[in-house]
Amino acid sequence: MATRTITITVPEELLESIKERVDARGVSGYIAAAAIHQDAMDQLRELARRLEEEHGTVTDDEQQAALDRIAAIDGWHDEQRSHSDEAA
């Protein structure tokens, strides 16, 4: 991915907090990663808005069913990982 140098303004306390975790050369990468994350979240919100317009609001029962399914998949992955760790 091509990069471009820009100037941004951030609160001094935020910059100092970031610098505590990364060296001076890593600040750009840290901020770029934060911007990538925010962009992805914005795109997900836009997708959710469009899906809601097209299909209606998700009910509490539908949301819970999805969360239950995710939990079941996570449990299955944990079990698979446990079995492969035991075999190693």
Side-chain angles (χ1 to χ4, degrees):
M1 178 187 320
T3 61
R4 178 185 292 177
T5 300
I6 62 169
T7 301
I8 64 168
T9 303
V10 297
E12 189 172 331
E13 298 80 20
L14 175 60
L15 180 59
E16 293 308 315
S17 178
I18 292 168
K19 284 182 175 180
E20 289 175 6
R21 284 183 275 294
V22 298
D23 64 22
R25 298 178 75 183
V27 172
S28 288
Y30 187 97
I31 291 174
I36 289 167
H37 175 78
Q38 184 62 50
D39 184 58
M41 294 299 99
D42 291 345
Q43 289 181 48
L44 283 172
R45 275 192 277 296
E46 175 61 22
L47 174 61
R49 185 192 61 73
R50 284 187 286 146
L51 289 172
E52 189 171 276
E53 284 177 2
E54 186 174 334
H55 300 287
T57 304
V58 175
T59 67
D60 289 344
D61 288 344
E62 291 169 328
Q63 183 175 5
Q64 188 59 54
L67 292 172
D68 292 346
R69 181 72 177 129
I70 290 167
I73 292 168
D74 284 347
W76 181 85
H77 280 116
D78 290 345
E79 188 175 312
Q80 298 304 306
R81 207 169 312 140
S82 172
H83 291 309
S84 71
D85 288 347
E86 291 171 3

